[in-house]
Amino acid sequence: MKFATKAIREGQQPDPTTGAVIVPIYQTANFAFKGVGKPNLFEYSRSGNPTRSAFEKCLASLEEAKYGLAFSSGMAAVDAAISILRHGDHVISSENIYGGTFRLFENVAVPRGIRFTYVDGTRPEAFAEAICKETKLVWIETPANPLLQLVDVKAVSEITRKHKLILVADNTFPSPCFQRPLTQGADVVVHSTTKYISGHSDVIEGAIVTNNEQIYTNYVFYQNAVGAVPGPFDCWLSLRGLKTLAVRMKKHEENALKVAQWLSSHPKAANVIYPGLESHPQHMLAKSQMDGFGAIVTFQLRGGMKAVEKFVDGLEIFLFAESLGGVESLVCHPWSMSHGAMSREEKGKIKITDGTIRLSIGIEDVDDLIGDIDKTLIGVDI
Ligand SMILES: *Cc1c(COP(=O)(O)O)cnc(C)c1O
């Protein structure tokens, strides 16, 4: 089956007891045993639940993975992904990563004795240069939040393979519709399914997929032992989201490209970043490693913080909010929001300024979106 078909059918056979076409919300904590030592298919919903299992199977198939596990948030999935590390282990991460991931690394993992080195993800050899004898895992996010830098997954995976390191890719931005890192050499893929996968900004959830049985077994243990599992209704919402992922991503991308092209010629916007623009320094890599360019457009508003305030206040269709990946368009100020946990110096190092604006382009009529930005920019002084 191809992607759009799998999204609708994989893991979703009609319910065995009633024939229900849609996987029901199995809102139950436990499942009756058939007898002593004879559990049913499921025992207790922390360990496993049929609605969750359907979502895990479907998502895994879309990533071309054997195994999938759902978590109560993207951050719970990130935490689970690094749960295989022990005191003294070393991680190499690309420096442009989601602010919450950086916070978890620095404020949760570092106090537990794990060391991190951050490198320029656009240079595969930077990962090789940072390897030491304690290195166990390499973390990448591509395209990265919010400046849309790409990491060459194949090139980095050649390095991690050679040194027997685990390569983890956060695939939230492109979703499996536009990029499947396991097919390019990654060992583990992490998602905030809160974003494009659920797609409607109505659920917080995360997931991990892998083809590595040993790593999977470790994660299954951690998922059950720690218990950061999503509820059945959350899984049902995300499973419903998956069904339309292919059509949504197409429309998201079509709109994002038009907005990016339009902004590129606007005098008040500088440095418009979108992997689908030929001006993106890694446009060729994006073309070869992705099936689409996604729907996040980042630019600098000339005029800094004052201009940003005017801009976000003036927009009517774009909502000023955290997050991304929903059908509605959002505007975010990474400096004070998604990357607020980073210091001034850390933000400066990865080139986030107080004038950086990130747009999450939705699937509304693109003329309305451009019209909203156009009219708002008229009132912004630079
Ligand atoms: C949002 C996000 C996360 C965290 O996910 P939550 O569901 O908010 O916990 C991790 N990585 C990326 C790239 C994200 O955008």
Side-chain angles (χ1 to χ4, degrees):
M1 282 193 278
K2 298 220 166 133
F3 189 92
T5 316
K6 286 197 283 190
I8 291 168
R9 290 305 311 280
E10 197 66 50
Q12 303 168 69
Q13 292 316 313
D15 186 57
T17 51
T18 62
V21 164
I22 298 303
V23 176
I25 304 165
Y26 283 91
Q27 192 69 43
T28 179
N30 44 6
F31 301 82
F33 279 58
K34 291 182 201 148
V36 177
K38 286 191 259 174
N40 254 304
L41 239 40
F42 295 89
E43 295 169 37
Y44 188 55
S45 281
R46 169 154 44 73
S47 327
N49 173 284
T51 317
R52 187 170 102 209
S53 170
F55 170 59
E56 290 171 337
K57 276 193 192 135
C58 186
L59 178 61
S61 85
L62 296 182
E63 284 282 5
E64 295 180 42
K66 279 199 207 131
Y67 311 110
L69 288 168
F71 291 87
S72 54
S73 69
M75 288 321 303
V78 171
D79 172 63
I82 62 165
S83 67
I84 45 184
L85 299 171
R86 294 292 169 265
H87 190 278
D89 286 347
H90 175 244
V91 175
I92 304 167
S93 171
S94 48
E95 62 192 359
N96 269 21
I97 52 173
Y98 177 66
T101 303
F102 179 77
R103 178 176 57 197
L104 184 126
F105 286 174
E106 288 301 303
N107 301 331
V108 180
V110 167
R112 291 178 180 171
I114 296 160
R115 279 196 310 121
F116 291 81
T117 301
Y118 301 93
V119 300
D120 175 358
T122 64
R123 287 178 53 240
E125 56 289 6
F127 293 90
E129 287 157 17
I131 294 173
C132 62
K133 86 175 184 310
E134 291 82 22
T135 309
K136 290 276 156 52
L137 187 145
V138 169
W139 189 277
I140 59 174
E141 185 183 316
T142 177
N145 190 9
L147 297 173
L148 308 168
Q149 289 180 343
L150 269 64
V151 179
D152 185 333
V153 183
K154 262 203 191 114
V156 174
S157 79
E158 275 161 25
I159 296 162
T160 54
R161 233 116 283 189
K162 193 165 137 212
H163 294 270
K164 300 198 164 45
L165 310 176
I166 297 163
L167 178 58
V168 184
D170 184 330
N171 202 34
T172 298
F173 268 40
S175 91
C177 184
F178 285 162
Q179 181 170 272
R180 290 163 301 284
L182 296 181
T183 67
Q184 295 163 344
D187 302 295
V188 175
V189 161
V190 168
H191 276 289
S192 167
T193 61
T194 308
K195 316 293 165 54
Y196 292 102
I197 285 174
S198 71
H200 297 74
S201 307
D202 49 14
V203 59
I204 299 284
E205 198 173 359
I208 294 183
V209 299
T210 182
N211 279 316
N212 183 315
E213 191 180 347
Q214 199 199 330
I215 293 178
Y216 171 68
T217 307
N218 280 309
Y219 288 162
V220 169
F221 173 83
Y222 193 79
Q223 184 198 42
N224 184 49
V226 173
V229 292
F233 184 45
D234 290 355
C235 294
W236 187 87
L237 282 171
S238 295
L239 185 60
R240 184 164 83 157
L242 278 183
K243 291 175 204 269
T244 56
L245 183 62
V247 282
R248 279 189 287 111
M249 290 313 286
K250 218 183 236 171
K251 181 69 177 165
H252 273 296
E253 182 189 37
E254 187 187 305
N255 282 359
L257 183 61
K258 285 187 184 154
V259 171
Q261 283 168 338
W262 180 85
L263 265 177
S264 296
S265 60
H266 199 287
K268 293 186 185 174
N271 193 20
V272 180
I273 311 172
Y274 180 66
L277 292 178
E278 273 167 31
S279 60
H280 190 289
Q282 294 168 298
H283 179 62
M284 292 314 288
L285 175 61
K287 270 175 108 165
S288 68
Q289 121 176 338
M290 304 174 73
D291 294 335
F293 302 114
I296 304 297
V297 178
T298 301
F299 67 100
Q300 302 290 324
L301 204 47
R302 294 187 201 275
M305 195 64 122
K306 270 236 149 59
V308 166
E309 279 169 16
K310 261 264 169 80
F311 184 65
V312 299
D313 281 350
L315 289 169
E316 283 173 31
I317 295 175
F318 281 83
L319 299 171
F320 182 41
E322 298 267 12
S323 197
L324 57 111
V327 291
E328 68 287 320
S329 292
L330 302 177
V331 56
C332 158
H333 183 230
W335 178 269
S336 62
M337 296 162 83
S338 60
H339 290 65
M342 283 189 175
S343 71
R344 215 161 241 285
E345 291 70 35
E346 284 156 352
K347 284 184 280 210
K349 195 167 158 235
I350 61 170
K351 300 191 176 64
I352 295 174
T353 73
D354 62 356
T356 304
I357 294 279
R358 185 190 79 188
L359 302 175
S360 171
I361 304 297
I363 63 171
E364 302 93 337
D365 190 301
V366 73
D367 294 340
D368 287 334
L369 298 180
I370 290 176
D372 196 28
I373 302 173
D374 192 22
K375 143 192 112 3
T376 307
L377 281 177
I378 291 169
V380 173
D381 302 322
I382 53 170

